[in-house]
Amino acid sequence: MPTLMDNANTTSAAVDAAVIEELRAAFESGELVLFVGGGISAAAGLPTWRQLVDLLVERVRDQVGDELVVAEVAELARSQRHSEALAAAEHALGPAEFNTFVEDALDDEGLEPPRIAIALAALRDRLRAVLTTNINHLLERAFGADWEPLWRITDEVAWRRRIIVKMHGTLKDPSSWVFTRERFHKAIAAPAVRSALTTVLSTCPMLFVGFGRADGNLDEMLSDIHALSGSSPPPRFVLVPRASLTPYRRTMLVDMGFQLLPYDTPDGSHDEALAILERASAARPRASSPPPAASTHARRSILPPPIPDLELPPSSSPLGFPAYDLPLDLPPGFASDLSSEPAGYDDTVTAPGALDAARRDLASEPPASPIEVFFSYSESNRELRDKLETHLAILKRKGVIRGWHDGEIGAGEERDRALAEHLETAKVILLLISADFLASDFCYDVEMQKAIERHERGEARVIPVILDACDWEGAPFGKLASLPRGGRPVTSWVNQSEAFTDIAKGIRKQVEQLTQNPP
């Protein structure tokens, strides 16, 4: 009978334990890079890549109707050549229709990060960086604002820490999507980018989590990583359901130098995966430390306790996708309702940021005084500013915020003095970014610089709002999370009301955090 941590490379329990110890050393080094697959999205109730492709087959059938085209996409889907199937569906539907459908299907708005994402985020202080194939925002929200998402691979990956590199792009910016191997190679074609990625892969140990047999392009990704890792790569571990390791796949991965941590899934659950992860991430006990007394409370786990697998009935998705046999990805079971937690379980230590406290209902309990929101903008963008202000009306009506811009300056007031005073007192500063904003000496050199200074001192929260396409990433505010999510300019949206709604929701979340944790 295989042991709990039976390693695919061996049949020796002693060697299995040695692999766990090697992974523990990687955690303790602080250089471990986590590579997170689509199991995180499945745990939140979003369609897997296979389900997304099947949905696209039906969309092609409805919109195109050409059975030859439908058969081509369907055959690629049946062969689990998911990246090719996505490319074929995009070609059949056209970029606009394809992009809209994928955004709707994978949108995580209103979904809480699943418990496995929270568990991984609890380890963030022991990680160097995270790579992921997920294009939604679940991981960013779980890890918190101090972990910056990068949805395009740049040379920064060589030296930046506490970053989430989204290998397939980010949901709200279709131009960043990398669904095919060809696009991935194009994304890393620049010598500096390829060199930076090679530096990380050839020096940092890596742990793969959330991949299973339904990830048809995982083997291709692992092959690319193997090629970029050099002749003497650091340890690379793959935590994977045993059932997904066919004999050939097992041999191929071992030959490429990946150390496999397979686990059984009795009753369809992934409890053993959590056991392996917790054992590997646990700190070694100090030799000089006496054992705890019997009356002492046991060390509280950083990971959630085992809970049953998630079943997705056909009605569970607003898209109405059919009930599939979920792939053995890690971990569809960890998205069960929180009411299934054992009595007395306290997960406050696992939840980063605002997730570890009860959210305040701002609609029914507004702050004692409204939070002032300062609009910094170019006069040429006045119309877009007015539309954004309109979309913030519900927060103003409820007394949560009070907007201020130069249009509020009354007759006889000194303009520069009024601007300086409100820029100094506002708790939220919106930088409405466009080419005109960047070209304005007053917007860029005065208002923006002052805003960044207050943000860095923790006195205010600065939010860049990207109105129009421009080269803004290198500006001082380029390191800050922008709105709409993904930095997609408002003017590039077919329906600008959707863009402003996305911005308004993002501002509302920031204001909620400020009311709970005022600067």
Side-chain angles (χ1 to χ4, degrees):
M1 177 178 293
T3 63
L4 175 65
M5 266 70 75
D6 180 27
N7 193 314
N9 307 309
T10 72
T11 57
S12 167
V15 175
D16 295 340
V19 174
I20 297 294
E21 286 303 305
E22 190 171 358
L23 178 55
R24 174 180 288 151
F27 269 108
E28 293 179 348
S29 73
E31 294 297 314
L32 182 66
V33 174
L34 193 65
F35 200 129
V36 183
I40 303 302
S41 298
L46 293 171
T48 64
W49 289 115
R50 184 183 72 178
Q51 292 169 341
L52 176 64
V53 169
D54 287 340
L55 287 168
L56 281 165
V57 170
E58 296 304 314
R59 190 68 170 185
V60 171
R61 179 175 285 112
D62 292 341
Q63 296 293 318
V64 179
D66 187 326
E67 286 304 318
L68 184 61
V69 175
V70 174
E72 179 182 34
V73 181
E75 178 57 32
L76 292 170
R78 278 192 295 270
S79 303
Q80 294 194 17
R81 294 155 65 185
H82 297 146
S83 61
E84 294 178 66
L86 288 168
E90 181 180 13
H91 182 267
L93 294 171
E97 173 67 20
F98 176 83
N99 292 348
T100 298
F101 185 84
V102 171
E103 283 191 48
D104 290 343
L106 300 183
D107 189 7
D108 58 299
E109 181 69 31
L111 297 177
E112 289 297 322
R115 292 173 56 79
I116 181 59
I118 301 300
L120 295 175
L123 303 171
R124 61 194 182 280
D125 290 338
R126 310 181 71 186
L127 300 173
R128 174 191 176 105
V130 173
L131 307 181
T132 182
T133 58
N134 293 280
I135 69 173
N136 56 54
H137 313 285
L138 294 169
L139 280 175
E140 295 101 292
R141 288 157 51 199
F143 272 72
D146 55 338
W147 277 68
E148 182 178 354
L150 300 178
W151 50 88
R152 287 187 174 85
I153 305 174
T154 71
D155 57 0
E156 293 181 66
V157 300
W159 55 270
R160 291 283 300 277
R161 307 181 74 89
R162 302 176 73 83
I163 55 175
I164 300 175
V165 182
K166 307 181 75 169
M167 307 289 282
H168 283 178
T170 196
L171 184 64
K172 295 299 183 180
D173 184 3
S175 68
S176 71
W177 294 353
V178 181
F179 289 155
T180 66
R181 200 177 189 188
E182 292 72 23
R183 290 185 183 178
F184 173 71
H185 288 162
K186 184 178 179 180
I188 64 170
V193 172
R194 192 175 186 87
S195 174
L197 192 57
T198 298
T199 297
V200 172
L201 297 179
S202 63
T203 59
C204 297
M206 185 171 292
L207 171 63
F208 295 81
V209 178
F211 294 96
R213 65 186 176 189
D215 292 286
N217 61 337
L218 171 62
D219 294 343
E220 293 180 350
M221 180 72 74
L222 294 180
S223 179
D224 288 331
I225 288 173
H226 174 69
L228 292 167
S229 298
S231 57
S232 301
R236 292 167 298 182
F237 309 90
V238 183
L239 187 60
V240 64
R242 192 184 309 278
S244 71
L245 290 173
T246 60
Y248 173 72
R249 188 186 195 196
R250 177 186 299 235
T251 300
M252 179 189 67
L253 295 177
V254 171
D255 287 346
M256 287 194 296
F258 291 94
Q259 300 193 63
L260 306 182
L261 292 168
Y263 59 91
D264 292 317
T265 54
D267 305 320
S269 71
H270 298 263
D271 298 348
E272 290 185 6
L274 278 180
I276 294 173
L277 188 58
E278 179 159 24
R279 178 179 171 185
S281 63
R284 291 186 178 91
R286 295 180 181 271
S288 59
S289 301
S295 61
T296 302
H297 291 294
R299 180 183 65 87
R300 186 163 52 186
S301 171
I302 62 171
L303 299 174
I307 54 179
D309 256 10
L310 172 70
E311 296 295 336
L312 289 178
S315 61
S316 67
S317 169
L319 296 167
F321 56 82
Y324 297 87
D325 292 327
L326 287 179
L328 296 177
D329 294 334
L330 172 68
F334 302 143
S336 297
D337 189 271
L338 294 180
S339 62
S340 64
E341 294 171 359
Y345 174 68
D346 179 4
D347 67 353
T348 55
V349 296
T350 71
L355 293 177
D356 61 358
R359 281 193 173 275
R360 182 179 182 180
D361 185 356
L362 293 177
S364 59
E365 190 180 347
S369 60
I371 290 177
E372 183 170 307
V373 176
F374 183 98
F375 293 79
S376 175
Y377 69 103
S378 167
E379 181 63 29
S380 63
N381 300 132
R382 177 181 292 273
E383 183 177 348
L384 291 173
R385 184 216 67 194
D386 289 342
K387 289 182 180 179
L388 173 56
E389 194 170 16
T390 299
H391 279 265
L392 297 176
I394 190 66
L395 293 177
K396 294 171 67 176
R397 288 183 180 276
K398 293 181 179 296
V400 176
I401 67 170
R402 179 180 66 251
W404 195 93
H405 49 73
D406 61 1
E408 306 291 332
I409 300 175
E413 285 190 79
E414 185 180 336
R415 183 178 186 277
D416 289 350
R417 180 176 179 178
L419 284 167
E421 288 178 352
H422 286 276
L423 189 57
E424 183 65 38
T425 59
K427 297 302 182 185
V428 175
I429 301 173
L430 304 180
L431 304 179
L432 307 191
I433 306 302
S434 67
D436 290 319
F437 180 97
L438 298 179
S440 168
D441 291 340
F442 187 81
C443 291
Y444 194 92
D445 295 331
V446 178
E447 293 187 340
M448 185 272 288
Q449 297 293 347
K450 180 64 175 179
I452 293 297
E453 290 174 7
R454 295 195 62 222
H455 179 90
E456 291 177 346
R457 293 197 299 265
E459 298 172 354
R461 190 160 300 187
V462 174
I463 305 174
V465 177
I466 313 303
L467 296 181
D468 206 354
C470 57
D471 185 17
W472 57 269
E473 285 87 350
F477 56 81
K479 62 184 178 180
L480 304 178
S482 61
L483 295 172
R485 289 180 300 173
R488 179 181 173 185
V490 170
T491 54
S492 71
W493 292 59
V494 176
N495 186 340
Q496 289 187 9
S497 290
E498 293 181 359
F500 283 118
T501 298
D502 186 85
I503 295 169
K505 289 179 178 179
I507 293 172
R508 174 170 53 80
K509 291 177 181 178
Q510 295 296 317
V511 170
E512 286 179 1
Q513 293 179 15
L514 281 176
T515 58
Q516 295 165 14
N517 302 289

